[in-house]
Amino acid sequence: MPISKDQAREVLRRLTQWGTVDELAKRLEPISEEARPLAPGVPRPGDWSGEARDLRVAALEAQGISIPHLAGREREADPASLRGNIEHYIGMTQVPTGLIGPLRVNGVHAHGDYMVPLATTEGALVASYHRGARLASRAGGISALVTTEQVQRAPGFVFANIAEASHFAAWAIDHFERFREVAATRTSHGRLLDLLAHVEANHVYLIFAYHTGDASGQNMTTFCTAAICEEILATSPVQPRSWFLEANMSGDKKATVLSFLHTRGRHVMAEVTLPRKLVVRGLHTTPERIAEYWAMSFVGGAQSGSIGVSGHIANGLAAVFLACGQDVACVSEASVGVTRLERTENGDLYCGLTLPNLIVGTVGGGTRLPTQRESLRILHCEGSEDGKELAAKFAEICAALALAGEISIVAALCAGHFSRAHEDLGRPQGG
Amino acid sequence: MPISKDQAREVLRRLTQWGTVDELAKRLEPISEEARPLAPGVPRPGDWSGEARDLRVAALEAQGISIPHLAGREREADPASLRGNIEHYIGMTQVPTGLIGPLRVNGVHAHGDYMVPLATTEGALVASYHRGARLASRAGGISALVTTEQVQRAPGFVFANIAEASHFAAWAIDHFERFREVAATRTSHGRLLDLLAHVEANHVYLIFAYHTGDASGQNMTTFCTAAICEEILATSPVQPRSWFLEANMSGDKKATVLSFLHTRGRHVMAEVTLPRKLVVRGLHTTPERIAEYWAMSFVGGAQSGSIGVSGHIANGLAAVFLACGQDVACVSEASVGVTRLERTENGDLYCGLTLPNLIVGTVGGGTRLPTQRESLRILHCEGSEDGKELAAKFAEICAALALAGEISIVAALCAGHFSRAHEDLGRPQGG
Amino acid sequence: MPISKDQAREVLRRLTQWGTVDELAKRLEPISEEARPLAPGVPRPGDWSGEARDLRVAALEAQGISIPHLAGREREADPASLRGNIEHYIGMTQVPTGLIGPLRVNGVHAHGDYMVPLATTEGALVASYHRGARLASRAGGISALVTTEQVQRAPGFVFANIAEASHFAAWAIDHFERFREVAATRTSHGRLLDLLAHVEANHVYLIFAYHTGDASGQNMTTFCTAAICEEILATSPVQPRSWFLEANMSGDKKATVLSFLHTRGRHVMAEVTLPRKLVVRGLHTTPERIAEYWAMSFVGGAQSGSIGVSGHIANGLAAVFLACGQDVACVSEASVGVTRLERTENGDLYCGLTLPNLIVGTVGGGTRLPTQRESLRILHCEGSEDGKELAAKFAEICAALALAGEISIVAALCAGHFSRAHEDLGRPQGG
Amino acid sequence: MPISKDQAREVLRRLTQWGTVDELAKRLEPISEEARPLAPGVPRPGDWSGEARDLRVAALEAQGISIPHLAGREREADPASLRGNIEHYIGMTQVPTGLIGPLRVNGVHAHGDYMVPLATTEGALVASYHRGARLASRAGGISALVTTEQVQRAPGFVFANIAEASHFAAWAIDHFERFREVAATRTSHGRLLDLLAHVEANHVYLIFAYHTGDASGQNMTTFCTAAICEEILATSPVQPRSWFLEANMSGDKKATVLSFLHTRGRHVMAEVTLPRKLVVRGLHTTPERIAEYWAMSFVGGAQSGSIGVSGHIANGLAAVFLACGQDVACVSEASVGVTRLERTENGDLYCGLTLPNLIVGTVGGGTRLPTQRESLRILHCEGSEDGKELAAKFAEICAALALAGEISIVAALCAGHFSRAHEDLGRPQGG
C-alpha cells in the first residue's frame, strides 16, 4: 500500500475518527464469550433436510431479516428489471447458498456477530469456513480494518519520442488538481485520489486512482477517466500520436504485483490470536506444527511464482461475492493476499491476513438483484447509508471470513484430515 | 507447457488421431459462411422484455434443448439432493443468465456453431462477448485446440538435512511407476501422469500431476495423493520428520507462474484471422491500430507484474463457469493467459489466445445441479460419454469464447467506444 | 516510475531547465554525420597485437585522456590506500578491458561522441556492443534521458496488532518533513525524497527514498535511515515490539517488481530510430523481421516470468560497471528493463530502452580506484563537479550503451549469425 | 528443480555414488573443531598494510599455492593471448581482492577448509563474509550439495497456425534422441539432457537443456542448438514460417521464475545448524530474533515481487565470480535463491540456502586468465580433471560462501550493528 502523503493523511483521519491509537486498538480487540455471549449458531449444521433449511430461514427471520427470494418464495423477476445487469436474458442460474456463523468481527465498520451467506457448488467449502469462523469467534473474534481505498483506470499515450513522453508525464502529474475537478463533474459519489505515471520509452501510462464510495467503481472510473482524457487532449502542451482509455496497467480483472503493492479496491486486514488450548482441542494440532506448515507453504507459494502468498482465499471470496452480488470475475484480483501464521512467544497462534485488492461494493452492479440484496441484508450491508461506509463494512467481513477459511484449511492439513473432509462432503449424498 | 517426453507422446497420439498434420490443420480451419451458413443468432438481442426471453428459450427448444429450470418453470430442488454441493443450505442465489452466439468453433472436440450461456450481474458483458463471437464467426470461426491436460496436488516433506531431502526427491521420482499403480487403486477415471520434485534445503515438494478425465479433478487428486503419501511413508528409505498433503506448490486457487508454465487443468489455444475488411467495417478500427494497442497493452501488462498478459479473460470465464457449474474460485487461476494480436503480412488481423490453466469438468461438483446441467446441455457438453472428451470440448468452447471477448474489448478500446458501451449497458433501465 | 506529485514537480523542473518541450526534444534529437562528423573510431578493431593496443591508448591520449594504470605503466597501489574498498587484501584481479565507439549520445547530461571502456572476460561482447554503437551513431546517435532518481532503504517494524501497525504507518508518512530534517543532519549530498508504507497485518515496512547526489548511495541511505529510526523510536505514539533497519523491501541487490515500478537508482531511457536502409545494409535484416522477433521474444520473456523484458542488458552493464568502479553486484537489479523494437509507419525501426533501476555513481565506492577513475575519465564522468550531474551523465551513457547492445544481439539473431559470432570471438586465439 | 524421470535417475546415480543415504548424509555432516581443527585463518584481518598483505600471500604459498599475478609480481599478459576474452583491448581493470576463511565446506565435491578470494570494490563486504564463514566453520562447517545441472538455449519457431505449432512441438519432443545425437557431433564435453516445449498460439519455444561439463556452457549450448535447428528444418514434417536461435525463454542473463523452477546452471544447496550458544556469543543475537527477522524479511521479499527470496547473495557471488573468472553478467540470474532461517526444536538456528541458477565453470571464458586461474587455484578448482567435477566443487563452495554471507548480514541486522559496520569499513581510510 505505498501511498502518497495526501492519502496517508486521509487514512490517518479515518483511523483517528475513533480517537487515539488506544481507542482504535480497543475497538478492534477480541471480545470474549464471557464478556459478550456469542450469537446462536446456524441451526442444524449437519442436516440436509428441507426442515433444517426452514429452521435456518426462520432463525434469520427471527432477527428481522427476511429472505423470500433466496428461500424460493417469490416469483421470478420481470426480465425488464434486469437491464443494466444482463443482455439476451434467458433465465436464472441457481447457485446453492449456505450459511456460516456466527463469525464475530471486531472491525471499525463491521462490529458484531455475523451470519455469512456463501453461494457455492463445492461440497465441504461451507463446512470448512464455518469451522474456522466458529473457532475464531470463540477466541474473541477476528479484528478487521480497512486502510486505503482506491480503484484505478490506466489510459495509455503514445508519443513521438522520450522527450515528449517524459515531459507529458511530468506535466500530467502536475495538473492533478485540474483532473480532480474534471472527475468531479462526472460523479458525485467518487473522487479522484491520486495519479501515477509510468513512462516506458515513448509510451506513457497514467494510472488514475479514485475513491468510489460504496460502489465497486469500475464504471465510475471509466467515465471519469474518459472525461479527464478529453481534458488532457484539449490542454496538454504536447499531443500524443495515439491514445487508449485503458492500457493494461489498471489491474482490472487480473492478479498483478502492481495492484498488490498499491491497493486496488480496498486494502483490508484481519487478525486473531488463537489460544494454544483452542488450537489443540478445536483444531487437533499445535501452534508449532501450524508455524512449521506456514513456513513450508509460504516458501512453496513464493517458489511457485504467485503474487502474494496464501492458502485458498479464492474459495471464500468467490462464495461471498456470488451470494452478495459482487463481480465474481474480480476474484482473479481480490484473492491475492498474504496469510501469516506464527507461534507467539507464549505459545499461542497469531493469524494475520492482508487483502490489498478487495474490490467490493454495496450499491450498483449485482447488488441490485433480489437474492443478492437479501444476502447483503443478512450481513447488514445493504445499499448505502449516510454516515456509514457499508462497502468498507462488507470488506471487513470479507477479510474476517477469508481468515477463518485460512485457519480452517491449514488446521485440516496439519491435523491430517484434509483428504477425509473432502471425501465426506465433496461427494453427492455423502455417498 | 514444458512436458515430459511421455506426455509429449500422449499429446502427439491425441493430435494424430485426426490423421496427419494436414488433416488436423484441416479440422481447425475456418469455415466460411458460404461453405456453411451460420446458425441463427440469439433472437432479439436488444430487447429486455419477457417476450424476447421466451423467444430465446423457444429457439433453444426448437433445437431440442429444453431449459425448464433456467426458465423458472420448475420447482426448487429438494435440499437433500444438494448434499455434496453445499452445507447449511438456505436457498438459491439467482444469477441472470444471457445467451450469445452463434459462436463458430473449429476445434478437435468442439466443432460447430454454439450458443453460449453466460451468467453474470455485470451489464454490457454479454453484449460485448456476443459482438466478438458474431464477428469471429463471420470470419469463419475460431480454431481451438487442447494440448496437455493435468491437475496437480503437491505434498511437502520435511527432512533432517539436504542430503536426505535430495535423496528422497530422487528416490520418489524413480518410483513413479509404483505411485501410478497406487493412484490407480483410488480412481478409475483419472491416472497419474507425471511427478516433479522441488527441493529447497531440507524441504521437498513433490508435484503429482494427474489426468482427471471429464472431472475438474481437485478431489480426485487429493484422494490419490493421500494414498500415494501413505505408500511413500511405508516404503521410503528415508523418513520425513514431518509432512503435509499440500504444501502450496499445486497452484490450486491462485495464479502462479508455475501453473502458467506447466499447465494446470487444460492447456488450450484458440485463434482466428480477421480479414481487414471485417475489422474496418465490423469493429470500426484497423489491424494497424489494434497491433499498436496490443504492443502497448502487452508491455503494460508485463510491467504491472501480471502472470501471462491478456485483456479481460476473467469476465467471460467467470460467466460461463458460473452458468455451467464450474468452480468459480478457479477463475483466479483459469483467467491467466496470453493474448496476441498482430497484423499479418497482407494486412489482416491474427488473434491468438493461450489458456494454460483452464480447470474445467463436465461431471462432478456443480455440473450435477439443475440449471447448470441445462447450460452444459446448451453447449452439448453434459456429463460424460464414452469415446467423447466432453471436458476437452467444453475447454475448447471456453477458449473460443475468451478470444471472442478479447477481440471485442480491444476493438472497443481502439475504436474509442469502450466508455460509451458501459454507459449504455452498465446502468439499470438504460437510465 | 509511479511518483508522488512532489517528485513529479522535481522531474518537471529538471526537464524544463532546458526550456520548452520543444527545446528538450531538440537537445535529444539525432545529429546526422553530415551535421556533425562522427569522432574517429577505435583504432584497429580486428587486431589483437600489442601495437594495436598502444595505438588505442595513444588515441585517448591525443584527446587529453591518459590511462597509465589501465595501460600497465603504473606501479601497484599502496594497500593502505585501499581501505574503504577491501579488507584482507591480497592483490588485484585483472580484467581485460576493451574500447567501443564512438557511441553518439544525445542526452541531457551526456551529449557527444563517447568511447566506452568495457571490462569483461567474455569474447565477442565488446565486438557486439561496438557494432551496435557504430550503427546507432551513424543513425544520428542515441537519445537518452534520466527522469526519476532515488535509492531506497526499508526498515521493518513489528507491532502488537493491525490497529497499532496501521496507525503507525499513517503517522510515519504524516511526519515525513521531520524525517527529512533528520536525514539532512547525516548527509549534505543526499536528501530524503519520499516515503512509502506497506502494512502486512501487524508488520509495517517503511520505504524511505533518497536522492543521493553523484554517489550510488547504498551507504548514505543506510546511515540516514538509521538516524530516522532513532527519531521514530523516540517520538512515535505507538512503539514497535521489535524493528529491523532493513526488512527486504528496498530491492537492494535483487530484481524486484517493486523497484521496477518505482525506480531504484535512476530511471533512464534511450531511443533511436534506425533508417530502413541502415538496418538492411548494416544489420543484414529488415525492420519487419526484427519486429516479428521482438514480439516473439517479448512474449517469451514475459512467459518465463522475468521482471521487465529485454535481451542481454546485463552483459553491457556488467562490463561498464566493472570498468568504471560501480558495484557489480547491482547488475542483479540494474539489468532489469524493457526493450521495445517496432517498425515505424514508414518502414524504419524504432528502438527504445527503459532502465528503471540503474544504480550508479561517480563518487565513492570503486570510483576512487586508479583504473576505475581512468575509465570514468574516458567517459568524462570522473568524480563530481558543481553544476554538473555526472552520475546522471554516466547513467545516460549506460542506457545508450545497453540499447546499442540490444540492437546488436537482436540483429544477430534475425540475420542468423548469432552462433557464428560466438564461434569466431568466443574461443581463444580465434582457434 | 522439476526434473524429468531421466534426470532424476542421473541425480540418484550421482548421489548414490557415495553409497547409501546414510553415507551421503555422513559425508555432508558437520565436522567439529575437536574432530578436525580448523585450518589457520587469514593472517592479520584488521590490517591494511603492505606487510599484512605479504603475510597473506606467504600463507598461501606455504600451502603450495603461488599467486604471482594477483600479487603483482608478474608482467602484464601479451595482448595477443587475450583473444577469446576481449576485443579492442586497452589494458586491465584492477579490482582489489581479499581473502576470507577458513570456510569449512562439507560437500560431495568440496570437502575441506577453504580460503576464498573475493574481488570487490565495496568496503565491509569481505569482512562480513569472513565473519559468517568463521562462525559457520566453528559450528562444524557448511554442508553443500549439487543436484541437477543443466544450461538452456531456447529457439523459437513461428507457424501458420496452432494446429501446426502443436504438432511440431509434440513431434520435436518425440525426436529428442535424434537431437541428442546431433548435439553429440558438436561437443565432446557436453550432452543434451532434456527438451521442453512451450506453445503459445502459433509460436513454439523449444527449450534445450544441456549438461556442459566443467564449462559454464553458454557457447556450447548455442553451437549445439544451432546444429539441432538445422536438423529440425531438414526433417520436420511441418515447416516454420520463420525461426530464431534464441527466443528469450532460456533465462540467459536475467532472473526468471522459469529458471528458478527448472535449474539453470547448477541447483546447489547449503545448510548449517548454528548452536544457540554460538549465535548468542558470536553473533550477539538469538535464534528467536533471527527467526522473527526471517519471517518479516521473507514476507517482505515476496511482497516486493522478487524471484526467490534471500538477503544479499549477489554480493558474495559477484565477488567470487569476479575473482575466479566467471561471467559476472550472470550474477543477474545466479543470485536468485531461497534463504531459510529457523529456530530448531531445541533452540538452535537452522540455516539453509538453495541456489537453483548457479551458472559456473572452471574451464573456458575468464577462467583462462592469469589472476583468475590463481583464484581458482586457491580453491583447488583450477581447470578440469578426469574423475573430478571441479565445476560442481566450485558450485558447492559458492553456495557455502553465499550462506555464510546470509548469516552474517542477518545477524548484523538483528544485533543492530548493520549501519555501524558500513560506517567503519565502507569509507576510505576508516575516515
Side-chain angles (χ1 to χ4, degrees), chain C residues 50 52 86 110 151 157 183 197-198 214 238 255 282 380 409-410 413 426:
Chain C
I86 194 79
V151 180
F157 303 83
H198 190 85
D214 283 324
V238 44
H380 304 282
I409 198 173
V410 167
L413 285 162

Side-chain angles (χ1 to χ4, degrees), chain D residues 276-326:
Chain D
R276 179 178 203 82
K277 211 167 50 182
L278 210 55
V279 173
V280 173
R281 289 192 201 161
L283 296 173
H284 311 294
T285 183
T286 61
E288 287 74 24
R289 185 156 161 82
I290 289 183
E292 185 184 30
Y293 178 73
W294 177 79
M296 179 154 208
S297 70
F298 199 92
V299 174
Q303 288 183 147
S304 72
S306 74
I307 297 170
V309 182
S310 60
H312 69 144
I313 294 173
N315 275 329
L317 291 185
V320 74
F321 273 30
L322 195 43
C324 296
Q326 309 301 307

Side-chain angles (χ1 to χ4, degrees), chain A residues 87 93 97 124 205 254 296 311, chain B residues 87 93 97 124 205 254 296 311:
Chain A
E87 301 88 44
T93 293
T97 304
Y205 302 77
K254 54 191 67 99
M296 180 155 206
Chain B
E87 299 88 45
T93 294
T97 304
Y205 302 77
K254 53 192 68 95
M296 180 155 207

Side-chain angles (χ1 to χ4, degrees), chain C residues 106-128:
Chain C
N106 306 309
V108 164
H109 305 287
H111 205 93
D113 295 353
Y114 297 87
M115 290 290 184
V116 185
L118 298 175
T120 184
T121 62
E122 306 305 310
L125 188 153
V126 167
S128 173

Side-chain angles (χ1 to χ4, degrees), chain C residues 87 93 97 124 205 254 296 311, chain D residues 87 93 97 124 205 254 296 311:
Chain C
E87 299 89 43
T93 295
T97 304
Y205 302 76
K254 53 192 67 97
M296 179 153 208
Chain D
E87 299 89 45
T93 294
T97 304
Y205 302 76
K254 53 192 67 98
M296 179 154 208

